[in-house]
Amino acid sequence: MLDILEKFQQLAIRFQPQLLVIPGLLLVSIGLCVWLAGLRWRKLIAAVAAALFAGCIVKNFTGYSFAVIAAVSVVFAVIAAVIEKIAMSILTVSIVVFITLFFFAGSGVAYDETTAGAGNDPNSVVTQPEYDISEEIIPAPKAVEIMVSYFSSFADEVRSSFAGLSSINFAFAGFAAILAVAMMLILPNTVMALTCAFIGTVLIAEG
């Protein structure tokens, strides 16, 4: 998984400056807002997270058109904004579970030997031969194409790595989810603030 990110980073520094500066500043600005005042923005955060989740699920598991995906995303966003506390709880648990599984997948701890390494095929790393040995600036259309390719490859790698985890790893993730739910019940505002801080930090780092 890290090979894909490292390769993308090497290519990304040669994207057109506008494609790096403008989205970067936007991500940093949004990240600061979420990090410093997450609870004030929790309805919006819950709505955006629900829309992205619903859109990804519909796109990956159905053959519906963009209009249907957009409609489903809007519906989920509205529902999440109405029940933002429940939506934020689900988001928090999802982040905790993902981080736990990602840790096991990245470290190789307690892999299932029959499927371990399924997502670590060196040939799965996306390559751009015309730019690998060149120092030229990558134009915006090609840069967007590269970003989509690397994102898709990274998502496939994550799915393959998760599929190679053992039942023990998933049991740890389930235990972490239970702890997250318990903390949400005891200290809801604190946990939601930490969740927002984490999301903000990720956005700032990406920016």
Side-chain angles (χ1 to χ4, degrees), residues 113-200:
E113 294 181 359
T114 61
T115 55
N120 297 321
D121 182 4
N123 296 324
S124 66
V125 178
V126 180
T127 59
Q128 302 291 334
E130 66 272 37
Y131 294 107
D132 286 345
I133 58 176
S134 172
E135 294 298 328
E136 66 178 289
I137 297 298
I138 301 175
K142 184 62 179 179
V144 173
E145 180 183 334
I146 290 174
M147 284 190 286
V148 172
S149 297
Y150 273 89
F151 177 79
S152 177
S153 180
F154 181 74
D156 290 340
E157 191 79 1
V158 170
R159 282 194 292 267
S160 297
S161 297
F162 283 8
L165 294 176
S166 70
S167 57
I168 296 176
N169 300 139
F170 287 101
F172 270 107
F175 179 70
I178 293 173
L179 285 180
V181 171
M183 291 302 297
M184 281 294 299
L185 293 175
I186 299 171
L187 300 168
N189 288 336
T190 301
V191 175
M192 282 191 288
L194 289 173
T195 300
C196 293
F198 172 79
I199 296 172

Side-chain angles (χ1 to χ4, degrees), residues 64-76:
Y64 291 128
S65 65
F66 175 78
V68 174
I69 295 174
V72 172
S73 298
V74 170
V75 170
F76 271 76

